[in-house]
């Protein structure tokens, strides 16, 4: 005999499972709990996850200004330090977004408590969204802190703040998704460190953070345009300064496509339990 609760729920286009695990198609309580856990992880150690990146970004700007700033002149019609600031901002955002998801997964796997994430009634998409939300929120915290510092120290008011915000969110989501893939693949901290050193760091440094790609030789310029992080940095630079090496529309298309592709891969890995389930 059909369950009375199921019959009543189906009349309104949704299902209520016994035990109240989920309402409709999304386990909102479980998703909210996972997001809260991921955000709490970096807020508890805020001096390491939020304050340290701000200090590092400030040191980057200070050192470059002392070393070559006065002699460098303008780049793309803006002072060198102003040109450098958006790149430093985005580089810091993506590094922290990657670290948030990858470290969460690797630590859970090493400590053996990844089962606490896999056992609750959460789908692969819900787990993906929970981890990505933590990465994006951490990225926004870092971006706001560095942006405030740029405003106070350099007096730079964003030319297109909404465009800058869109690229910051895309950057945090892209590297957050990449961090999920890397965290699932890695079973040890040394494997995670290798991915960070040989993939993430080169992507960030060889992307126009410290220079305009117009100054590169043709071969390196072509390689830079293949790098999605180049478009992230270029998009934020356009949002803050109003200048860029490429079209912001093209950059948005490339970044959205790359983010969708990496998140699709992460969703597939989470849904199948690849390297997560024994």
């Amino acid at each position: 005999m059909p369950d009375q609760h199921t019959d009543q729920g189906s009349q309104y286009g949704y299902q209520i499972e016994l035990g109240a695990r989920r309402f409709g198609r999304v386990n909102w309580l479980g998703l909210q709990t996972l997001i809260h856990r991921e955000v709490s992880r970096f807020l508890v150690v805020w001096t390491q996850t939020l304050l340290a990146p701000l200090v590092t970004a400030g040191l980057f700007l200070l050192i470059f200004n002392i070393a070559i700033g006065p002699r460098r002149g303008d780049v793309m019609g803006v002072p060198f330090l102003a040109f450098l600031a958006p790149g430093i901002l985005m580089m810091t955002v993506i590094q922290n977004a990657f670290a948030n998801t990858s470290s969460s997964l690797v630590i859970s796997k090493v400590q053996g408590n990844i089962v606490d994430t896999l056992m609750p009634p959460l789908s692969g998409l819900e787990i993906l969204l929970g981890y990505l939300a933590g990465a994006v929120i951490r990225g926004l915290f870092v971006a706001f802190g560095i942006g405030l510092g740029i405003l106070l120290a350099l007096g730079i008011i964003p030319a297109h703040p909404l465009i800058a915000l869109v690229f910051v969110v895309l950057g945090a989501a892209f590297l957050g998704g990449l961090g999920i893939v890397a965290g699932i693949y890695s079973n040890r901290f040394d494997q995670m460190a290798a991915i960070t050193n040989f993939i993430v760091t080169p992507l960030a440094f060889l992307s126009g953070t410290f220079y305009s790609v117009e100054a590169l030789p043709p071969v390196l310029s072509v390689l830079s345009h293949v790098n999605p992080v180049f478009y992230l940095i270029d998009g934020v630079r356009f949002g803050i300064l109003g200048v860029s090496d490429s079209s912001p529309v093209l950059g948005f298309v490339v970044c959205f496509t790359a983010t969708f592709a990496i998140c699709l891969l992460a969703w597939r890995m989470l849904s199948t339990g690849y390297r997560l389930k024994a």
Side-chain angles (χ1 to χ4, degrees):
M1 181 176 179
D3 185 79
Q4 181 180 1
H5 296 287
T6 302
D7 287 343
Q8 292 176 350
S10 61
Q11 295 176 5
Y12 298 94
Y14 63 89
Q15 294 182 349
I16 303 178
E17 298 182 10
L18 291 178
R21 293 189 302 168
R22 63 174 66 233
F23 295 89
R25 296 182 178 275
V26 180
N27 183 352
W28 294 108
L29 178 60
L31 178 58
Q32 180 185 355
T33 303
L34 180 57
I35 293 173
H36 182 267
R37 188 195 74 178
E38 290 303 297
V39 173
S40 299
R41 282 187 63 255
F42 70 80
L43 287 181
V44 168
V45 288
W46 64 272
T47 55
Q48 175 185 345
T49 58
L50 298 179
L51 180 60
L54 303 185
V55 173
T56 301
L59 289 174
F60 263 116
L61 291 173
L62 178 63
I63 292 171
F64 272 93
N65 185 50
I66 294 174
I68 61 177
R71 301 189 301 273
R72 184 63 174 81
D74 291 351
V75 180
M76 300 176 63
V78 298
F80 175 67
L81 201 59
F83 172 85
L84 190 65
I88 296 294
L89 184 150
M90 178 52 84
M91 184 182 70
T92 308
V93 167
I94 62 177
Q95 288 176 340
N96 280 267
F98 177 85
N100 203 71
T101 53
S102 61
S103 63
S104 180
L105 279 164
V106 173
I107 290 173
S108 294
K109 292 170 73 174
V110 171
Q111 293 180 344
N113 57 26
I114 188 65
V115 66
D116 295 337
T117 302
L118 300 177
M119 283 191 64
L122 289 168
S123 66
L125 180 60
E126 290 161 352
I127 297 175
L128 172 68
L129 293 177
Y131 279 114
L132 285 182
V136 171
I137 292 172
R138 179 170 169 179
L140 288 173
F141 269 103
V142 172
F144 177 78
I146 297 177
L148 182 61
I150 292 173
L151 174 63
L152 296 178
L154 303 179
I156 299 176
I157 299 176
H160 310 286
L162 289 180
I163 293 178
L165 177 62
V166 167
F167 278 96
V168 166
V169 172
L170 276 176
F174 174 58
L175 268 295
L178 184 60
I180 294 174
V181 172
I184 293 174
Y185 179 80
S186 303
N187 289 323
R188 303 189 306 273
F189 288 110
D190 58 330
Q191 293 176 330
M192 190 71 257
I195 295 174
T196 302
N197 293 331
F198 296 112
I199 297 179
V200 177
T201 300
L203 284 176
F205 277 80
L206 303 177
S207 56
T209 303
F210 308 104
Y211 52 84
S212 170
V213 296
E214 294 179 354
L216 295 176
V219 175
L220 293 179
S221 179
V222 171
L223 291 176
S224 294
H225 283 81
V226 178
N227 181 2
V229 179
F230 159 73
Y231 295 97
L232 291 171
I233 291 174
D234 204 48
V236 167
R237 184 169 287 131
F238 178 81
I240 294 178
L241 301 177
V243 299
S244 60
D245 280 311
S246 64
S247 167
V249 176
L250 174 62
F252 174 80
V253 172
V254 172
C255 295
F256 180 83
T257 303
T259 302
F260 179 80
I262 198 68
C263 289
L264 185 63
L265 175 60
W267 167 76
R268 180 63 179 171
M269 296 171 79
L270 289 168
S271 298
T272 59
Y274 175 74
R275 296 178 74 90
L276 292 174
K277 298 178 181 178

